[in-house]
């Protein structure tokens, strides 16, 4: 059995130890009791239920259908949970999340887009009066389209997120099955289905859920280009369509997916000359297509500005992160920690010492679960390298390049940015769970000890940075 009861027990004991130590050491800064109990309940639920699914769904039929509909149920619970949390702590912000300024902005921009659609006006021109950059247009256009059909009700977008997020679970299952085997695919699907971080963002009025869907879809098409030659042209066209769409969501993402796709194609097969020639042809096609898409969408200037701004991006993002979280990163000399811990971060914030900490510590369960499970990501990455599994090139290169950019810009501790890499890392996580060697459990406990120290240091740092200890 690749996930025994002792694994679940270990994860639960670790969580209880982390919370107990912080309660004992920092009793003056104890978080809200309902949030503490809710988060603990989610952690217990995740590990206990995941263990049950691993056992029951090993041989079940219609796995994709089950993954989708179970995911819908859990994501609907996520939406209900977000409503309940906002009702308890920030009822004036309903129907959006706690302190959800971005959610309100997307809602207002969606109304503008819907009115433009209904009145047959120029959609881009209408949004240009609200957003400074075209990279914010994408989600607003999706909202506007759905509002124009179903009415201007935020619940419509949350239900849309539920459906899109559930289909993403199925896509991750399909990708993992191509890269590895059925066993890993089912594990990846179950973990994605239950992962609280996805339920959290799926219950919010934000673009992260649809962004993850687009990125995972892109990975699926890129991998199928190398594995299914009969439909290669179709998948190249689909890949390029996603390449263009992503410019309207986050400018940094299209260059990453293009680079990851070219790496996948370049290194997947090199044994024969005809494979090398075919790779060159496909890569050339992708480059020409990407230039054409950027020209057609008038994105040259935006890409150029992004590249030119990259030299100052580190300092700018650090300053912005400092303002958002009340932390002086530069003064604390925390930059090496940001870079070294880029994959396993963010660590959970467990203390309440100012009002703006509520929306940060209220999702501590998301970070604790990820910190616990990332051990298996490292195992999966190591196995992929040792076994020279070239099918993992796109998934691995996208995740690592994206995380490196987050680390270089100083925002690897921001959960909203980090979550986009999580679906890709879960694919490696699934293989890490399946892997087996004599000292695996011992190594996991050693890893958890370091994570425990990391979480403690992070929360001590936040207090000391404000002069509270």
């Amino acid at each position: 059995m690749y996930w025994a009861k002792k694994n679940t027990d270990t994860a639960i004991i670790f969580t209880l130890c982390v919370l107990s130590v912080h309660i004992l050491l920092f009793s003056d800064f104890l978080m809200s009791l309902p949030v503490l109990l809710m988060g603990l309940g989610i952690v217990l639920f995740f590990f206990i239920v995941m263990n049950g699914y691993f056992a029951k769904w090993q041989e079940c039929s219609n796995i994709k259908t089950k993954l989708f509909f179970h995911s819908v149920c859990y994501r609907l619970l996520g939406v209900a949970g977000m409503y309940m949390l906002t009702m308890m702590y920030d009822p004036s912000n309903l129907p959006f999340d706690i302190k959800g300024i971005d959610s309100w902005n997307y809602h207002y921009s969606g109304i503008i887009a819907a009115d433009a659609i209904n009145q047959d006006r120029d959609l881009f021109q209408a949004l240009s009066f609200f957003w400074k950059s075209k990279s914010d247009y994408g989600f607003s256009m999706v909202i506007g389209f759905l509002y124009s059909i179903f009415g201007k009700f935020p619940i419509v977008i949350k239900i849309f997120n539920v459906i899109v997020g559930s289909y993403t679970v199925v896509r991750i299952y399909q990708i993992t099955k191509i890269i590895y085997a059925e066993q890993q695919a089912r594990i990846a699907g179950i973990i994605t289905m239950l992962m609280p971080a996805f339920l959290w963002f799926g219950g919010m009025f934000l673009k992260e859920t649809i962004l993850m869907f687009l990125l995972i879809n892109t990975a699926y098409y890129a991998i199928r280009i190398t594995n299914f030659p009969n439909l290669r042209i179709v998948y190249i066209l689909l890949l390029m369509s996603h390449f263009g769409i992503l410019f309207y969501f986050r400018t940094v993402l299209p260059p990453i997916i293009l680079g990851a796709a070219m790496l996948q194609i370049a290194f997947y097969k090199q044994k024969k000359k005809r494979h090398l020639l075919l790779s060159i042809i496909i890569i050339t096609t992708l480059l020409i297509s990407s230039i054409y898409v950027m020209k057609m969408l008038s994105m040259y200037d935006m890409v150029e500005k992004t590249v030119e701004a990259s030299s100052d991006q580190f300092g700018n993002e650090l300053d912005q992160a400092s303002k958002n979280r009340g932390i002086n990163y530069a003064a604390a000399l925390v930059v090496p920690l940001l870079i070294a811990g880029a994959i396993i971060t963010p660590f959970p914030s467990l203390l309440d010492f100012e009002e703006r900490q509520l929306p940060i510590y209220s999702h501590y369960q998301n970070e604790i679960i990820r910190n616990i499970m990332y051990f298996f990501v490292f195992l999966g990455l190591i196995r992929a390298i040792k076994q020279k599994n070239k099918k993992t090139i796109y998934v691995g290169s996208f995740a690592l390049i994206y995380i490196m950019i987050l680390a270089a810009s100083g925002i690897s501790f921001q959960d909203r940015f980090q979550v986009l890499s999580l679906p890709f890392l879960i694919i490696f996580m699934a293989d890490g769970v399946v892997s087996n060697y004599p000292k695996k459990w011992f190594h996991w406990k050693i890893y958890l000890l370091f994570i425990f120290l990391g979480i403690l240091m992070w929360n001590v740092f936040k207090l000391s940075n404000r002069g509270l200890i």
Side-chain angles (χ1 to χ4, degrees), residues 375 377-388 428 431:
F375 170 76
V377 173
F378 291 116
L379 286 188
L381 286 168
I382 292 168
R383 275 165 57 91
I385 294 169
K386 282 186 175 180
Q387 297 173 2
K388 297 180 179 179
F428 292 102
D431 190 53

Side-chain angles (χ1 to χ4, degrees), residues 8-73:
T8 298
D9 293 341
T10 299
I12 292 172
I13 291 170
F14 170 82
T15 304
L16 291 173
C17 288
V18 168
L19 294 177
S20 299
V21 167
H22 283 78
I23 290 171
L24 291 173
L25 293 180
F26 312 107
S27 57
D28 292 339
F29 306 107
L30 183 65
M31 72 174 78
S32 168
L33 186 59
V35 172
L36 175 66
L37 295 176
M38 177 199 71
L40 178 59
I42 291 173
V43 174
L44 296 176
F45 179 84
F46 174 82
F47 285 106
I48 293 171
V49 172
M50 182 180 70
N51 191 23
Y53 274 113
F54 282 171
K56 292 181 180 179
W57 281 13
Q58 286 189 65
E59 303 295 336
C60 73
S61 58
N62 300 322
I63 182 67
K64 288 188 286 187
T65 303
K66 290 183 177 180
L67 281 172
F68 178 81
F69 284 106
H70 281 242
S71 295
V72 167
C73 292

Side-chain angles (χ1 to χ4, degrees), residues 220-358:
Y220 178 72
Y221 298 137
I223 292 169
R224 287 185 75 94
I225 287 172
T226 54
N227 287 276
F228 298 87
N230 293 337
L231 294 172
R232 188 167 282 146
I233 298 298
V234 174
Y235 293 126
I236 289 175
L237 292 173
L238 289 169
L239 178 64
M240 283 296 102
S241 68
H242 282 59
F243 174 81
I245 291 170
L246 283 166
F247 275 113
Y248 295 105
F249 284 86
R250 200 161 284 167
T251 311
V252 72
L253 294 175
I256 300 177
I257 68 168
L258 183 64
M262 290 193 294
L263 286 172
Q264 173 74 43
I265 294 162
F267 294 104
Y268 181 56
K269 289 182 178 180
Q270 290 182 326
K271 293 182 179 180
K272 298 179 181 179
K273 288 185 178 180
R274 65 184 182 88
H275 290 152
L276 179 59
L277 179 61
L278 184 60
S279 294
I280 292 173
I281 293 171
I282 296 174
I283 290 172
T284 303
T285 303
L286 287 177
L287 281 172
I288 294 172
S289 300
S290 65
I291 293 170
Y292 174 77
V293 170
M294 285 191 290
K295 185 177 180 180
M296 184 177 67
L297 299 177
S298 301
M299 287 293 177
Y300 275 124
D301 291 340
M302 186 180 292
V303 174
E304 185 180 355
K305 288 178 182 177
T306 301
V307 173
E308 289 177 350
S310 62
S311 59
D312 298 323
Q313 189 176 14
F314 182 77
N316 294 338
E317 294 290 1
L318 278 178
D319 291 340
Q320 187 60 41
S322 301
K323 293 175 183 177
N324 291 342
R325 301 220 169 194
I327 297 174
N328 187 342
Y329 289 110
L333 298 177
V334 76
V335 173
L337 180 62
L338 290 173
I339 296 174
I343 293 181
I344 58 175
T345 55
F347 290 125
S349 295
L350 300 171
L351 306 175
D352 185 9
F353 43 82
E354 58 188 8
E355 185 179 353
R356 61 181 168 183
Q357 289 299 308
L358 174 60

Side-chain angles (χ1 to χ4, degrees), residues 148-212:
S148 68
I149 298 174
F150 300 104
K152 299 165 185 176
F153 307 109
I155 189 64
V156 170
I157 307 305
K158 296 195 176 187
I159 297 299
F160 174 77
N161 277 344
V162 166
I163 296 170
V164 168
S166 300
Y167 190 70
T168 302
V169 175
V170 177
R171 268 285 188 252
I172 290 174
Y173 164 83
Q174 292 174 317
I175 292 171
T176 311
K177 187 174 180 180
I178 294 171
I179 293 175
Y180 292 110
E182 181 68 28
Q183 188 179 42
Q184 287 94 330
R186 293 184 180 224
I187 292 171
I190 291 167
I191 293 174
T192 309
M193 176 180 73
L194 297 172
M195 186 61 71
F198 298 144
L199 308 188
W200 179 268
F201 284 102
M204 301 172 80
F205 200 91
L206 296 173
K207 64 183 176 182
E208 271 60 36
T209 298
I210 189 171
L211 252 180
M212 283 186 278

